[in-house]
Amino acid sequence: MTTVRREAFGRMPPEQGEGEVEKFVLQSDSVRVEILSFGCIITNLETKDRDGKFSDIVLGFDTLEGYTRKHPFFGAVVGRVANRIANGRFSLDRKDYQLFINNGPNSLHGGAKGFDKVLWSPQVLPNGVRFFRLSPDGEEGYPGDLKVWVTYTLSGRELAINYLAQSSKTTPISLTNHSYFNLAGQGSRDVYDHEFSIEADSYLPVDNTKIPTGEVAAVQGTGFDLRQPVELGKHLQKFHLDGFDHNFCLHQGQDRRLVARVFHPPSGRTMEVHTTQPGIQFYTGNNLDGSLKGKGAATYPKHSAFCLETQNWPDAVNKPHFPNVLLHPGEEYNHTTWLVFNTA
């Protein structure tokens, strides 16, 4: 049985258009999650350890102010296109489009004011909440009026996130949730003692601006082979890696499949990621630097969290051999990701 509660969380600052921000609390016997109508942001996610004790396992802020300032997309839904587009440029139907450049020479996570920085219209469901917004034609440089619905539902140990969209013009689209997890509890020092596995035979090598080179490389015999569980700290040392910020290529198909698993031996917490998406970005919080004050005055140093962002492959709009990222009028973009929390 899931209960859903809504409450006021704050008011948008005048320079960002004012408006009331609401918080939605979804609770089952084993999971409690809090989500804002601003950016569809997951602010809290509490799960049990093996002794039945709840801890909040996502990074974030105590107040709305933290989320309206610059931060690394904590908990937010990002779009229209998650991840990077090279030089913020693409061509469609012989027309060139230029997006806002906000990550080195590239466009990242939707641009200057992506889906993470806007108010959505909420609708309470029996076991969750659905958010809607219309992204107007030309917003952040993207073509077409895009109607978007993001639905969070909680059932027992499973949190489902469904993304649905329709466009009046052909547009690239790739939506994801950008939660930063630490299964030891947010504010814990690092995730080196977490064990990770990702069901992927290949990954995308990137250039020095994090844009895929176009090669689809086999993980076999490399530090990117995570098909069997690895303890992160030891694995980074063994392969002399500074961390991960890479797309892993998943087995194609529209069906739900298990794509990643994380286990934290000290607490017994496990997290499984199931999805219909063709890719997953594994990011180990390499750019966190301890400068942000998070929940309960916690600081978030490098490698103090991980992200598993289900998505289309980065820069797919410029790489025809990558999975199709275009949504045409009359079609529907429809993807779901499921997070399943257990103890071992």
Side-chain angles (χ1 to χ4, degrees):
M1 184 58 195
T2 299
T3 60
V4 183
R5 203 172 76 242
R6 73 192 292 176
E7 52 192 61
F9 187 71
R11 241 194 121 63
M12 294 294 293
E15 67 274 13
Q16 293 183 32
E18 296 189 310
E20 292 291 342
V21 177
E22 289 185 285
K23 177 171 80 176
F24 297 82
V25 184
L26 282 47
Q27 187 155 8
S28 71
D29 290 342
S30 42
V31 177
R32 183 175 185 276
V33 59
E34 301 182 3
I35 309 156
L36 301 184
S37 57
F38 176 68
C40 303
I41 290 170
I42 294 176
T43 59
N44 278 63
L45 178 55
E46 295 174 26
T47 69
K48 289 177 178 176
D49 66 9
R50 67 164 64 88
D51 299 324
K53 179 175 166 286
F54 278 98
S55 284
D56 180 11
I57 59 168
V58 293
L59 277 52
F61 303 104
D62 288 321
T63 62
L64 178 60
E65 194 180 12
Y67 293 106
T68 57
R69 292 178 179 167
K70 187 172 166 54
H71 68 95
F73 305 96
F74 284 153
V77 165
V78 293
R80 273 186 203 192
V81 176
N83 218 306
R84 294 167 180 85
I85 293 177
N87 304 309
R89 281 205 289 270
F90 62 91
S91 297
L92 271 182
D93 304 327
R94 294 197 291 278
K95 187 173 175 201
D96 295 334
Y97 293 89
Q98 179 64 57
L99 310 172
F100 188 80
I101 304 298
N102 63 336
N103 184 254
N106 307 314
S107 183
L108 175 69
H109 292 330
K113 190 177 180 183
F115 291 2
D116 58 299
K117 299 181 184 71
V118 292
L119 269 177
W120 294 63
S121 303
Q123 175 195 354
V124 171
L125 306 174
N127 62 338
V129 58
R130 177 179 295 130
F131 298 102
F132 171 78
R133 81 172 297 252
L134 172 68
S135 171
D137 186 16
E139 182 174 63
E140 287 297 322
Y142 287 98
D145 285 331
L146 185 75
K147 292 178 177 170
V148 192
W149 295 264
V150 176
T151 306
Y152 291 90
T153 48
L154 180 62
S155 170
R157 301 170 183 277
E158 181 175 281
L159 177 67
I161 313 172
N162 174 260
Y163 308 93
L164 191 65
Q166 301 160 349
S167 183
S168 65
K169 294 180 183 171
T170 301
T171 184
I173 179 171
S174 174
L175 302 176
T176 195
N177 176 280
H178 208 307
S179 287
Y180 287 69
F181 297 94
N182 186 321
L183 300 188
Q186 74 88 28
S188 298
R189 191 176 63 248
D190 58 58
V191 289
Y192 296 144
D193 59 354
H194 289 46
E195 294 175 7
F196 293 88
S197 56
I198 297 179
E199 300 280 332
D201 299 327
S202 53
Y203 77 102
L204 300 181
V206 293
D207 66 18
N208 59 5
T209 73
K210 300 281 194 298
I211 291 288
T213 60
E215 180 192 0
V216 181
V219 300
Q220 182 76 38
T222 74
F224 294 87
D225 191 345
L226 305 178
R227 291 172 296 185
Q228 295 299 317
V230 303
E231 188 179 315
L232 184 69
K234 289 177 181 165
H235 187 80
L236 295 181
Q237 279 181 323
K238 178 181 174 183
F239 288 95
H240 308 292
L241 296 169
D242 184 51
F244 288 95
D245 192 3
H246 295 79
N247 178 81
F248 285 76
C249 308
L250 306 175
H251 301 294
Q252 303 293 303
Q254 279 297 302
D255 297 334
R256 170 179 177 160
R257 56 215 184 279
L258 171 65
V259 297
R261 187 173 185 273
V262 189
F263 172 46
H264 180 242
S267 69
R269 286 192 183 88
T270 67
M271 175 174 128
E272 288 179 358
V273 183
H274 303 244
T275 193
T276 59
Q277 293 271 29
I280 189 166
Q281 187 85 3
F282 180 33
Y283 174 53
T284 49
N286 313 330
N287 297 321
L288 297 174
D289 59 7
S291 61
L292 288 172
K293 269 277 190 287
K295 290 180 278 192
T299 54
Y300 301 136
K302 182 176 179 172
H303 297 162
S304 61
F306 65 90
C307 305
L308 285 165
E309 306 154 63
T310 55
Q311 59 176 14
N312 203 314
W313 300 5
D315 202 35
V317 71
N318 292 312
K319 300 203 165 48
H321 61 295
F322 281 11
N324 173 45
V325 72
L326 297 178
L327 175 65
H328 300 278
E331 295 177 348
E332 200 164 66
Y333 174 91
N334 189 350
H335 280 289
T336 307
T337 293
W338 296 264
L339 304 176
V340 184
F341 302 97
N342 267 305
T343 52

